[in-house]
Amino acid sequence: MLRWVISEGGDSLDDMRLDKIEPDSPGSGEVLVRVRACSLNYRDQAIMTGNYFGGRVYRDQVPLSDGVGEIVELGEGVTGFSVGDRVSSTFFMDWEDGLPNPAAGPALGAPPAPGMLQELVVLPAHALIPMAKSLSFEQAACLPCAGVTAWNALMEGPRKVGPGRSVLVLGTGGVSLLALQIAKAAGATVIATSSSDEKLERVRALGADHTINYRETPDWGARAAELSGNGVDHVVEVGGAGTLAQSIAAVGFNGEIALIGVLTRAGDTSPHGLMLKGASIRGIFVGSHKMARDLNDLIDRHNIEPVVDRVFPVEKALDAYRYQASPDLFGKVVISLNGDE
């Protein structure tokens, strides 16, 4: 089988290689999955360049947390799955339900966990969930990290999105576009930002009610607050330190900023602007298996199709990394390992 590997201590695409090896067999409680598609996240760029938590990988590592495929073999004692089932990875292998906790287990795609960018992978059965029924492999591969992150930001915690609520999404990456789609399915009003008028036209086609070109409107936080009527109820903050001050300006009374991103590292991170509004910041680090299943239910009920920007064959995985890091990105980049049958 083919698999991509980041070499021990690697910090660039030059340290990734395509190997051909014999697959492992599943042990007790494990399953063997034929991977059909994977998707890239910003985290995967950080792991590949040695800028993720813990620095460079300390062993040879198969990358990517997000993958879907079919079960081809069951290990001893596995129940609830059958050979041929279409399944999805979960970002945290051991986080079944409940609040964030230290027992959530390792996250796929970084040591000590396995990664999904390989034709066959052995995983604990409890680390898999059924795939969304309405999606192709390429579409479903977009959900384990970005989709569950967007779901957690909007549908978990003390404030949930619904009719009469407003949502601000930043940019047009995978988390933001999936948050837009989830929010619209829940009946909310969505405001979207981008530096590209062409991309803003595309997000309007996806259902965004209002758009802001942040290059033309540097104080886009105040503009978002104005467009929402009285301040935004939910801000999906994927930018990080460089955008947080504007997100605080955008959020309304009793609103919530879902803090997700690290795309920008420098900026004003003072939370004092939240005080008079009684607003809050909630840290988001993907989510649980239950959140993933709830997201799949919403996807199937509302016929939501994740936005797949480009699909690359497995042999061109390095090109997928390059494109995912480019300013042309709109939605998700997928790597196909044979695709749908």
Side-chain angles (χ1 to χ4, degrees):
M1 71 166 193
L2 295 176
R3 68 172 189 177
W4 280 95
V5 175
I6 304 171
S7 298
E8 178 184 350
D11 63 0
S12 75
L13 288 176
D14 293 335
D15 298 309
M16 286 185 64
R17 67 180 189 270
L18 185 60
D19 284 350
K20 188 171 184 178
I21 66 166
E22 290 298 314
D24 294 327
S25 296
S28 177
E30 296 178 330
V31 297
L32 180 65
V33 177
R34 182 175 300 282
V35 181
R36 296 297 189 180
C38 296
S39 79
L40 280 161
N41 299 285
Y42 175 79
R43 168 184 184 260
D44 301 308
Q45 300 281 350
I47 293 170
M48 178 269 296
T49 58
N51 291 308
Y52 196 59
F53 304 119
R56 300 179 186 184
V57 295
Y58 58 78
R59 66 174 195 192
D60 284 1
Q61 176 68 40
V62 176
L64 305 194
S65 60
D66 293 14
V68 295
E70 302 154 319
I71 293 177
V72 294
E73 187 178 348
L74 301 174
E76 183 181 355
V78 172
T79 60
F81 287 114
S82 301
V83 170
D85 284 353
R86 291 154 57 98
V87 293
S88 170
S89 65
T90 55
F91 185 84
F92 288 108
M93 291 200 293
D94 301 327
W95 186 5
E96 171 57 31
D97 195 5
L99 297 174
N101 65 86
L108 293 175
M116 296 301 294
L117 192 50
Q118 51 188 320
E119 290 182 319
L120 292 160
V121 61
V122 172
L123 290 171
H126 69 258
L128 297 166
I129 64 167
M131 213 178 88
K133 297 180 177 65
S134 59
L135 299 184
S136 68
F137 286 124
E138 286 80 6
Q139 292 169 328
C142 300
L143 300 181
C145 180
V148 175
T149 296
W151 173 274
N152 190 356
L154 297 178
M155 308 301 288
E156 302 290 330
R159 304 170 177 87
K160 295 179 175 58
V161 167
R165 307 287 285 179
S166 56
V167 175
L168 173 63
V169 298
L170 311 186
T172 56
V175 172
S176 294
L177 292 190
L178 283 159
L180 186 161
Q181 293 173 298
I182 292 167
K184 291 306 298 180
T189 297
V190 176
I191 304 164
T193 73
S194 174
S195 62
S196 163
D197 287 338
E198 185 271 334
K199 288 184 177 180
L200 291 176
E201 183 177 347
R202 294 173 72 181
V203 296
R204 285 192 291 270
L206 286 171
D209 299 279
H210 306 286
T211 56
I212 304 170
N213 185 315
Y214 62 78
R215 291 202 189 278
E216 297 175 359
T217 309
D219 292 329
W220 50 265
R223 178 57 178 157
E226 179 185 7
L227 288 169
S228 66
N230 218 1
V232 178
D233 296 309
H234 305 265
V235 181
V236 182
E237 171 49 81
V238 298
T243 55
L244 184 58
Q246 290 293 324
S247 292
I248 290 173
V251 73
F253 280 75
N254 303 301
E256 181 180 272
I257 298 171
L259 186 62
I260 298 161
V262 292
L263 299 178
T264 57
R265 301 298 180 97
D268 179 7
T269 59
S270 170
H272 288 160
L274 300 172
M275 289 193 305
L276 294 179
K277 296 188 279 191
S280 64
I281 296 175
R282 182 166 63 95
I284 304 292
F285 192 15
V286 196
S288 67
H289 303 181
K290 182 179 184 301
M291 294 180 203
R293 290 192 293 269
D294 290 343
L295 170 62
N296 284 349
D297 289 343
L298 181 85
I299 293 278
D300 287 337
R301 289 199 314 273
H302 292 271
N303 296 313
I304 295 172
E305 296 185 358
V307 178
V308 177
D309 187 337
R310 289 188 60 181
V311 179
F312 292 81
V314 64
E315 295 84 1
K316 300 289 186 180
L318 300 187
D319 291 337
Y321 269 84
R322 294 186 186 99
Y323 183 76
Q324 200 258 352
S326 78
D328 297 327
L329 179 69
F330 187 87
K332 294 286 287 180
V333 173
V334 172
I335 298 171
S336 175
L337 297 89
N338 300 322
D340 289 300
E341 292 188 326

